[in-house]
Amino acid sequence: AQRVLFLIFASHKRDTKGQLELYLCQTLGRLMAAPVIERQGSRAAIGTRAGSSAGSGPPTPVTGAGESTFGDGTLDITAIERPLTHSEEVGLYHAASLRRGVRGRPALLEVRRQLLEGLHHLLTGDEALLTDLWVNFDCDMQRGNMFDFFTSFMTQRAIPWRVSTGEDEAFMDILLFHLVRVASRAGVEAPSGRWAELLGMRSVGDRNKAAMPADASQSSPCGSLHLPVLLDRKTHKDAMMQAAKLFNKKPKDGVAFLQRTGALGQAAGEATQHLAQFLRETPTLNKRLVGEFLAKPSNLEVLQAYVSQFDYSGKRLDEALRALLGAFRLPGESQQIERIMEAFATAYAASGNPDIATKDAAFILSYAVVMLNTDQHSPQVRSRMQLSDFARNLKGVNDGADFREGFLADVFAAIRDAEIVFPEEHEGAAGFEYAWRGVSAAGSWATTRLRTSTYDRALLEATWPRLLRALERT
């Protein structure tokens, strides 16, 4: 199956950016260290404390002796002289803003060996892939820092801390292939003889030619890949991630940072739109805090600008509401919910759906859908609402008339069959389904093939301490 997958990635990489992202997130997650089991009396805690809430932010780690915590979401791995624990690797994963809900559990035995073998094949079979990861993910505001995370993960795992398990050799092999290619592109003579055999290479040129994907000639326009443009994008992304980090500690501090850096603009009215855009487009924000911030009466203009950024045209009300509530966590207080539903109803009514007569009707139905969602999926509710109950509660609210029967039936069935949740807070099927829906929004792949050397200096400057440390410790 992996061979088929790699063939698809090689021949249709332009159209499989999202699929490759999911593959790498899942594979790297399953190659993480196994969680440590702590026994406390008769209970066992695996990797995270049993009482941690399913909210935004990384799980609370079970911190063992000498283990680093992630209070600020960062970790300097060059200062740690031991293998990273499972919770530390998860912390790095979250700090890089990689997709949640798709990591899976660490694999064991043969499955683990096959995953590592596949990752090794993928990353040593394409000269440009590691650089492409930086261009396509680390320089994209909507994607995680895949290159940066993998560099940390690879250089930490390449060190045989106690005794070689074979995994360290595989990661060191990937690291050496990367460095040999960088050296080759800089004009250094390719390895030969015993070194070439140890690296499994005929020659760098031969391997690159063999690994050339079928769509290599269809590379993205050079203008979008100019190094200064990409460095500007990365700088902007880093600034937004810093603002998000401050926002996640105290929203007021995050907004103040945006104002100081000029990110909210200078003209009247710009600040509201730019702040709403920041809340919508910054994936590292704490989604619970975003919901609470939007629901404050003092932030009504920001809330209205935020809900107006969604495209509701052609969507049934429950579909539009599901899209909105997939972007932040709905607060629990009734007044906060009402405030958000009122703003949503105004924006949705303006989209011109023929089944909704007025914005008041949109508001009442929106609130009813939120209540229906709780009724249908809360384990505390024993007697669940039926379609007839749902329709009776909404009788005459559509500007004095009833909603169309088929329309209400479709809304009811959609909520009954699929709960409105914030899937990034869930592992397993719900999280993967949410991530899969975002695959189509990933955009097309931009390849650096035939000009990869343009980026080597900048990437080495960003990663050399980690690379050098791995070589020194081996």
Side-chain angles (χ1 to χ4, degrees), residues 18-19 22 99 102 431-440:
Q19 288 87 344
L22 293 189
R99 284 192 177 273
V102 299
F432 193 86
E433 181 182 350
Y434 177 83
W436 187 254
R437 287 201 300 268
V439 162
S440 59

Side-chain angles (χ1 to χ4, degrees), residues 1-6:
Q2 286 199 101
R3 292 180 181 178
V4 175
L5 193 61
F6 296 154

Side-chain angles (χ1 to χ4, degrees), residues 86 114 150 197 225 234 238 253 272 394 440 455 457:
H86 175 76
Q114 290 186 9
F150 181 73
E197 291 179 14
L225 295 179
K234 187 67 171 70
D238 291 344
D253 291 345
T272 297
L394 294 168
S440 59
Y455 312 93
R457 181 183 181 89

Side-chain angles (χ1 to χ4, degrees), residues 17-156:
K17 177 178 177 179
Q19 288 87 344
L20 179 59
E21 179 185 18
L22 293 189
Y23 168 80
L24 289 172
C25 287
Q26 174 115 147
T27 300
L28 293 171
R30 302 208 68 196
L31 289 175
M32 288 182 178
V36 175
I37 300 178
E38 279 189 357
R39 297 206 174 272
Q40 300 175 355
S42 60
R43 300 190 308 174
I46 304 181
T48 59
R49 296 195 189 280
S52 62
S53 61
S56 43
T60 304
V62 173
T63 307
E67 180 175 318
S68 301
T69 58
F70 291 87
D72 60 354
T74 60
L75 177 70
D76 180 11
I77 66 166
T78 61
I80 298 179
E81 294 299 324
R82 56 170 174 75
L84 296 184
T85 65
H86 175 76
S87 58
E88 286 172 337
E89 289 180 336
V90 171
L92 282 176
Y93 183 96
H94 289 313
S97 304
L98 297 180
R99 284 192 177 273
R100 302 191 181 201
V102 299
R103 283 187 295 108
R105 297 178 179 178
L108 301 172
L109 304 175
E110 181 62 17
V111 173
R112 189 178 185 89
R113 186 193 67 79
Q114 290 186 9
L115 288 172
L116 181 56
E117 184 178 297
L119 183 68
H120 178 277
H121 175 82
L122 182 68
L123 293 172
T124 60
D126 185 345
E127 173 193 12
L129 185 55
L130 279 175
T131 304
D132 284 353
L133 294 182
W134 182 76
V135 170
N136 286 277
F137 297 111
D138 294 48
C139 296
D140 185 341
M141 185 67 192
Q142 296 304 310
R143 317 242 79 80
N145 293 329
M146 183 73 74
F147 172 82
D148 186 69
F149 171 76
F150 181 73
T151 300
S152 296
F153 190 78
M154 170 182 66
T155 53
Q156 179 72 12

Side-chain angles (χ1 to χ4, degrees), residues 17 24 26 62 146 173 231 250 282 316 356 392 398:
K17 177 178 177 179
L24 289 172
Q26 174 115 147
V62 173
M146 183 73 74
D173 203 36
L231 290 174
K250 190 176 182 180
T282 308
R316 203 173 55 227
I356 306 295
R392 183 171 56 254
N398 194 20

Side-chain angles (χ1 to χ4, degrees), residues 59 74 107 150 163 255 381 408 433:
T74 60
F150 181 73
V163 61
V255 175
V381 177
L408 280 187
E433 181 182 350

